[in-house]
Amino acid sequence: MTGIGQWLYLIGSIALAREKFTAPRDWHKKFRMMAMPFYLIHQQVIVSFAAGALWVPYLRTLPVMLIITSIIVITLSFLITKSGPLRYFFGLPPPKDHVCQGSN
């Protein structure tokens, strides 16, 4: 019975969120733009940081590694979305009137 109750709670929470949070916010667009670069670079950042952090005892703990790599990846994702031509290589639309745009 607890499994059914948990599923009903989850479905109710989703339905409530759909009703309550309908207006788009400014930060929604920024986070959506950061999602693809975040997805593409997170593994490389985690692996390279973990390879270097194995030599320092307090850096190789999971919570510290998660916090530091998350900050690094979020910062890099934000910088990628603000860069001009680099956006194109991460699946984002390039700026207007850019060479990568192509012709119509």
Side-chain angles (χ1 to χ4, degrees):
M1 253 348 234
T2 60
I4 294 172
Q6 291 172 347
W7 278 109
L8 289 175
Y9 177 77
L10 185 65
I11 292 170
S13 298
I14 292 171
L16 182 67
R18 278 186 159 179
E19 283 292 319
K20 191 72 176 154
F21 307 115
T22 55
R25 306 273 191 252
D26 291 337
W27 54 273
H28 288 166
K29 184 177 180 183
K30 290 177 186 169
F31 281 177
R32 272 188 254 129
M33 292 292 279
M34 288 172 54
M36 183 59 101
F38 187 94
Y39 172 72
L40 292 174
I41 64 172
H42 80 279
Q43 187 175 7
Q44 289 82 8
V45 170
I46 291 172
V47 168
S48 56
F49 182 82
L54 288 176
W55 298 98
V56 182
Y58 64 89
L59 284 181
R60 64 179 164 206
T61 61
L62 182 65
V64 172
M65 194 176 299
L66 272 174
I67 291 170
I68 292 175
T69 56
S70 295
I71 291 170
I72 292 170
V73 173
I74 289 170
T75 304
L76 286 174
S77 298
F78 180 74
L79 291 174
I80 289 169
T81 58
K82 293 298 177 187
S83 71
L86 192 60
R87 296 167 47 108
Y88 177 78
F89 300 107
F90 288 91
L92 301 174
K96 301 234 186 275
D97 301 329
H98 193 265
V99 177
C100 295
Q101 187 81 21
S103 60
N104 292 341

